Each structure stands twice: as C-alpha cells, then as structure tokens.
Amino acid sequence: MTSNVSEADGTTGAAGASEANRALGYEQARDELIEVVRRLEAGGTTLEESLALWERGEELSKVCRRWLDGARARLDAALTEDAEGDGKTA
C-alpha cells in the first residue's frame, strides 16, 4: 500500500525522521538520494508515491548539504589556523 511511504514522511513522524536524518552519514544520505532520484526518473509510481519520494529526496539533500557545509567550515578553520600559525592573516 502506498500510504506507508507517505506516512513515514508525514508530520506525525517528522521529529523521528529529523533525528534519523541527523544520524545519517554523508555517504548513506547520498546513496539513498541517488536511489530516490533513480526511482523518480524511472516513473511508474503513483502521484502519492512520487510526492513522498520527492519529499524524502529534499530531506536527504539537506542532510548532504549540512555535511558538506560542515566539511567546508572545518577546512576553512584549519586553513585559518595554519595561516595564523605562519604569521599570516586570513
């Protein structure tokens, strides 16, 4: 039944989904996002299933973006520390 897919993304389980998303590693989120995109591109799903997949894809995209933003911040901090250690200003 298609309601299982949309129920997992519904407002009732949103807090649990957010906690689960935070626990996802970058590679896990990326791989699941690739699968969501593949399923959407393949077609053959109902409108309800497609919307649930789209919403899941948006969540996964945000997870990946947070990981990438965090990695960028860590790199910037390391470069700043390195430049300051060399007596240079960033």
Side-chain angles (χ1 to χ4, degrees):
M1 183 174 221
T2 60
S3 62
N4 290 343
V5 175
S6 60
E7 286 174 10
D9 293 330
T11 55
T12 305
S18 295
E19 290 174 21
N21 287 341
R22 279 190 280 268
L24 279 177
Y26 172 77
E27 289 80 7
Q28 291 171 309
R30 182 201 59 211
D31 291 347
E32 188 178 342
L33 179 57
I34 289 168
E35 179 62 19
V36 165
V37 170
R38 186 197 62 73
R39 288 181 61 194
L40 284 169
E41 287 178 341
T45 57
T46 66
L47 177 59
E48 186 176 315
E49 289 170 327
S50 295
L51 287 172
L53 285 168
W54 180 271
E55 290 169 349
R56 181 62 180 155
E58 289 290 330
E59 291 172 5
L60 292 166
S61 174
K62 289 175 186 175
V63 170
C64 289
R65 174 57 54 198
R66 279 194 301 270
W67 275 105
L68 292 172
D69 289 345
R72 165 85 55 197
R74 288 174 62 190
L75 286 171
D76 289 345
L79 290 172
T80 300
E81 283 181 20
D82 187 45
E84 289 172 355
D86 291 341
K88 301 175 187 173
T89 56

